[in-house]
Amino acid sequence: MKKSLSLFFAVLLALTFIISGCSNKASQASSNKPVHVRIGHYGGTCDAATYVAYEKGYFKKNGLDVELVKVDFNTLKDGIGTGKIDAVNASPGLFKPIEQGLNIKLVDGIHTGCIQGVVPVNSPIKSIKDLKGKTIGVDAIGGVPMVLLSMELSQNGIDPKKDVTWKVYPDPQLEQAIDKGEKDAFVNWDPFGEQYIESGKGRKIFGNNHDGDPNNQYCCFVGINGKLVKENPEVAKAIANSYAEADKWIEGHQEETAQLEVDKKYIPGDVELNAKLLKSYEFVSDKERAKKSFTTIVTSMKQQKILDPSTDVNTFVNNVFVDLK
């Protein structure tokens, strides 16, 4: 009898430790102890909301002990898959991996802007319509800059698959290739397009931020690990709230944000250029608008056959975009 009782209590104790370990973040979320979360960042101008939420204490205010983790496209996918990354500034470049099973949910938008298409300053190309029959440089086939410009081309009656030629170059070589005449234009993330313009050699013909137009597409969303959203929705909501508060602060403090990014060595470059870029973005938390933008981009990606033809847009959007009530 004593041996049976001893065995029973030993099993009970082991189960207690297992349950305690599995619910660690959930229990922290309901106590005053900050919840440790890892948030990925790329080291770019458009990661401003992540840096502001961290440096200005919005994460901490919402009960989070944040560890910033530098990522690239591949390490982010691995980090989400293994649970080593809890959240990230998510771009449409992740939509194909999500379709393929990457477990990340979108819960809000962060900002518009950050993509520019440019041509040489003396180019005969004056508008999007003039790109028909031209060669366009991009950082990746199916990447965000290509997707967003393709949407604009389609709206102007140009078939992005048949009427233009896409050529891939590493970011630093995009400007060199256009100078050599290997392509007629390039579209890429900031600050590459803006740097080309600032040098006096380039001229802007495309951007995904049109002077406060409410139809501007988000290029960055609050992305949270799907497992975290399911198991600890309160923690996920705290992350989303932190980004919303950071957005609000940035809208009134673009120059201070640019100074913070450079001073803390999150990004290279000068403060003036980054402040100019931040002023051209729209940092706004608007879940309804973000979901609409997400739907528009997914629809375009399917039309361009980046997403599988069998993917149902409405089902995909409703599975990925989560309303954290």
Side-chain angles (χ1 to χ4, degrees), residues 225-296:
N225 194 308
K227 185 177 180 183
L228 177 61
V229 171
K230 181 179 180 180
E231 296 180 356
N232 300 299
E234 289 303 313
V235 174
K237 190 173 182 179
I239 294 171
N241 288 343
S242 300
Y243 272 100
E245 292 176 53
D247 268 2
K248 187 175 181 179
W249 190 86
I250 293 170
E251 273 296 289
H253 303 84
Q254 292 98 334
E255 292 182 0
E256 291 175 63
T257 300
Q259 190 74 55
L260 180 154
E261 288 186 300
V262 173
D263 287 350
K264 294 293 183 177
K265 303 187 186 307
Y266 289 121
I267 63 171
D270 62 74
V271 174
E272 185 177 350
L273 174 61
N274 283 294
K276 180 180 179 180
L277 292 172
L278 290 172
K279 288 176 182 178
S280 72
Y281 305 164
E282 183 184 8
F283 286 84
V284 58
S285 168
D286 186 331
K287 298 177 180 63
E288 183 178 344
R289 178 178 166 188
K291 187 173 183 179
K292 181 179 178 181
S293 186
F294 177 46
T295 304
T296 300

Side-chain angles (χ1 to χ4, degrees), residues 140-161:
I141 297 298
V144 182
M146 179 180 172
V147 168
L148 295 183
L149 181 56
S150 294
M151 290 169 58
E152 196 82 5
L153 290 170
S154 297
Q155 290 171 9
N156 282 273
I158 299 173
D159 187 329
K161 284 190 166 294

Side-chain angles (χ1 to χ4, degrees), residues 5 30 39 78 112 151 153 156 160 169 202 221 246 251 262 301-302 305 323:
L5 284 173
S30 62
I39 295 184
D78 292 341
T112 67
M151 290 169 58
L153 290 170
N156 282 273
Y169 296 85
F221 301 79
E251 273 296 289
V262 173
M301 291 178 73
K302 181 179 177 180
K305 299 182 180 179
D323 183 10

